[in-house]
Amino acid sequence: MLYSKNYNELGSYFREARLRRGLSQRDVADKLGYTPQFIYAFEKRGSSIPMTAVVGMIKLYKINPQAVIRLILKLEREFLENHFTK
């Protein structure tokens, strides 16, 4: 399960990718076995999300997995640096 208060940016990244593919939240929810509300919560608030959903979105949106990995690592680094350097 991916969860961080910094994942708003990740949710936005996936939202933009979904829109580029011309998919609705319902389309994605139906294809991945979630509710549209679940997709909305992730995209809007960066809510926690199972890794299987992330992988499903990467495949569905035809995103480069390395780009997602880089973004997640960047967000985690920022989160840790903010907590350990205070």
Side-chain angles (χ1 to χ4, degrees):
M1 181 82 66
L2 285 176
Y3 177 76
S4 171
K5 292 190 190 276
N6 290 357
Y7 281 171
N8 287 351
E9 188 175 339
L10 184 64
S12 294
Y13 178 85
F14 276 96
R15 179 180 185 279
E16 291 170 15
R18 175 180 60 76
L19 293 173
R20 280 194 303 273
R21 301 299 296 169
L23 298 167
S24 69
Q25 290 175 339
R26 173 152 314 275
D27 295 332
V28 175
D30 290 346
K31 290 178 190 296
L32 299 181
Y34 294 97
T35 64
Q37 293 83 1
F38 173 86
I39 303 301
Y40 171 83
F42 172 63
E43 290 181 353
K44 189 71 173 174
R45 296 188 304 268
S47 298
S48 61
I49 185 167
M51 188 61 69
T52 54
V54 172
V55 171
M57 288 181 194
I58 288 170
K59 291 177 181 178
L60 184 61
Y61 304 161
K62 297 180 174 32
I63 299 173
N64 179 343
Q66 291 301 315
V68 175
I69 291 168
R70 281 191 298 275
L71 178 56
I72 291 170
L73 290 174
K74 173 188 158 266
L75 296 172
E76 286 300 316
R77 183 178 304 113
E78 290 171 0
F79 176 80
L80 292 171
E81 286 174 351
N82 285 336
H83 283 80
F84 290 132
T85 58
K86 288 183 177 181

